[in-house]
């Protein structure tokens, strides 16, 4: 019997509002060349939130305000024999200066949310963006 290896990563959908439009920060990963969101592996002793904040800082150089009321878990198998959970929060930028971590990130750009829906490769990411849209709508209609 083969045992499945388990991995866990955390990250966030970072968004901002400009001129009555919402934008989401997308990263193009060097590995795979697809548009997605900043994320990375949990290190020993870290909480999910600590991991998300650290990975966002490492990959984008941004300081963000994390919103833990938005928490969504995506489970998939990146390779045979591996199950991976990625926990996503949402966040808003505190700092403005974006610098890509060259080893992992090929490109970083802000996209209008509806454009981002068309840019992402995976249905999981599309679902996350739609959940974020619902979350924003709820927050703005309080």
């Amino acid at each position: 019997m083969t045992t499945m290896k388990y991995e866990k990563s955390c990250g966030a959908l970072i968004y901002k509002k400009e001129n009555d439009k919402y934008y989401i920060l997308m990263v193009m990963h060097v590995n795979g060349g697809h548009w997605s969101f900043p994320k990375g592996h949990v290190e020993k002793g870290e909480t999910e939130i600590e991991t998300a904040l650290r990975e966002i800082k490492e990959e984008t150089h941004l300081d963000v305000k994390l919103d833990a009321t938005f928490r969504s878990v995506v489970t998939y198998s990146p390779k045979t024999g591996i199950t991976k959970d990625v926990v996503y929060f949402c966040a808003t930028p505190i700092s403005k200066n974006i610098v890509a971590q060259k080893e992992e990130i090929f490109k970083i750009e802000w996209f209008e949310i509806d454009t981002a829906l068309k840019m992402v490769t995976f249905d999981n990411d599309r679902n996350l963006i739609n959940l974020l849209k619902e979350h924003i709508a709820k927050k703005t209609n309080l």
Side-chain angles (χ1 to χ4, degrees):
M1 187 173 107
T2 59
T3 55
M4 290 288 283
K5 186 177 171 217
Y6 176 74
E7 294 180 358
K8 184 175 182 181
S9 289
C10 298
L13 283 73
I14 303 165
Y15 71 97
K16 66 180 181 178
K17 184 178 182 182
E18 274 182 12
N19 305 322
D20 292 329
K21 290 186 177 179
Y22 284 94
Y23 294 84
I24 188 165
L25 189 72
M26 304 288 290
V27 297
M28 183 184 275
H29 295 275
V30 169
N31 185 1
H34 61 280
W35 287 103
S36 190
F37 319 106
K39 69 173 186 327
H41 287 90
V42 175
E43 291 183 358
K44 197 170 178 68
E46 274 184 334
T47 66
E48 292 176 349
I49 289 171
E50 287 168 342
T51 299
L53 289 170
R54 177 183 51 76
E55 286 292 339
I56 291 163
K57 185 72 174 173
E58 285 176 6
E59 292 188 356
T60 69
H61 197 67
L62 274 180
D63 292 308
V64 297
K65 181 179 178 207
L66 207 72
D67 179 353
T69 64
F70 178 99
R71 182 182 181 277
S72 186
V73 182
V74 173
T75 304
Y76 66 101
S77 177
K79 292 182 184 131
T80 308
I82 298 174
T83 300
K84 183 169 187 168
D85 280 344
V86 184
V87 177
Y88 286 103
F89 300 99
C90 70
T92 50
I94 297 169
S95 59
K96 296 217 185 301
N97 191 21
I98 296 172
V99 180
Q101 181 185 24
K102 290 189 178 12
E103 303 79 35
E104 294 190 32
I105 306 300
F106 180 66
K107 211 187 283 188
I108 303 176
E109 282 185 47
W110 288 102
F111 291 107
E112 197 179 332
I113 279 191
D114 290 331
T115 304
L117 276 169
K118 297 174 194 135
M119 304 281 302
V120 292
T121 308
F122 302 108
D123 287 340
N124 286 337
D125 291 345
R126 219 173 325 280
N127 294 340
L128 285 166
I129 293 171
N130 283 319
L131 287 170
L132 176 65
K133 286 174 74 171
E134 289 171 24
H135 182 76
I136 293 169
K138 279 187 209 146
K139 281 182 71 163
T140 53
N141 294 337
L142 292 176

